[in-house]
Amino acid sequence: MTTVLLSLGSNVRPHHHLQAALRVLRGRFGQITVSPAYRTPAVGFDGPDFLNNAVMLDTGMPLLELDDWLHAVEDAHGRDRSGPRFSDRTLDIDVVYYGDLVVEGPGHLRIPRPELKHAFVLKPLADIAPDFIDPVGGLSLRQMWQAHPQHGDVFDTVELAD
């Protein structure tokens, strides 16, 4: 089994879509660990605020199969990939870490995800997996969050209970 860390986000009916994603993830993987959800401004475009959270799970599913499955979940929840890269999202689920695997190269899949530079990705991950070690930098997620420029900022926490 491999420990996987996911980043989830939505700014179109975000409560609905994130709750639905958590139900689907629980249905497929059973026990998952879920971070608090945070309200954050859209990055790269003008749009409604996002709700972002993170999930930790264990799976035997190979990375590419997992990535394809997550894309199908996004699509089933109305994800539109025809617009600009930075745009409104019904549901965005990214594999940020897949164990200690590092994937660089052609295509869209990069592990760890470069979006780790954003507080909306790093903070929820550090909340649920503070001792997880980044295979590239060798630091724990706690250390990475403590070094982040937004560490210490107050974030609006949003309840997602379904």
Side-chain angles (χ1 to χ4, degrees), residues 8 25 32 48 51 79 93 100 103 115 120:
L8 289 75
L25 290 167
I32 63 174
L51 292 185
R79 173 74 184 264
I93 309 174
D100 61 0
V103 177
E115 290 85 358
F120 65 81

Side-chain angles (χ1 to χ4, degrees), residues 51-89:
L51 292 185
N52 294 95
N53 69 340
V55 167
M56 180 170 58
L57 58 87
D58 291 314
T59 184
M61 188 183 289
L63 173 59
L64 294 179
E65 185 179 329
L66 174 62
D67 192 54
D68 287 344
W69 185 83
L70 292 171
H71 279 127
V73 170
E74 292 172 338
D75 293 346
H77 289 90
R79 173 74 184 264
D80 180 5
R81 297 178 202 285
S82 66
R85 179 168 185 257
F86 296 109
S87 61
D88 293 328
R89 300 268 199 279

Side-chain angles (χ1 to χ4, degrees), residues 38 40 116-127 130 140-155:
Y38 299 103
T40 59
L116 268 169
K117 67 184 177 193
H118 297 295
F120 65 81
V121 174
L122 184 55
K123 179 170 177 34
L125 290 173
D127 286 343
S140 70
L141 291 178
R142 176 187 295 109
Q143 291 169 312
M144 291 170 64
W145 176 239
Q146 288 171 342
H148 193 278
Q150 287 184 268
H151 182 264
D153 288 3
V154 176
F155 291 85

Side-chain angles (χ1 to χ4, degrees), residues 2-65:
T2 301
T3 297
V4 176
L5 296 175
L6 305 174
S7 176
L8 289 75
S10 173
N11 75 334
V12 177
R13 296 180 57 214
H15 285 87
H16 168 79
H17 289 292
L18 291 179
Q19 288 170 342
L22 294 175
R23 283 191 298 275
V24 169
L25 290 167
R26 284 186 183 106
R28 176 64 177 86
F29 300 104
Q31 177 66 36
I32 63 174
T33 304
V34 181
S35 78
Y38 299 103
R39 184 180 317 281
T40 59
V43 172
F45 71 102
D46 289 327
D49 288 348
F50 275 78
L51 292 185
N52 294 95
N53 69 340
V55 167
M56 180 170 58
L57 58 87
D58 291 314
T59 184
M61 188 183 289
L63 173 59
L64 294 179
E65 185 179 329

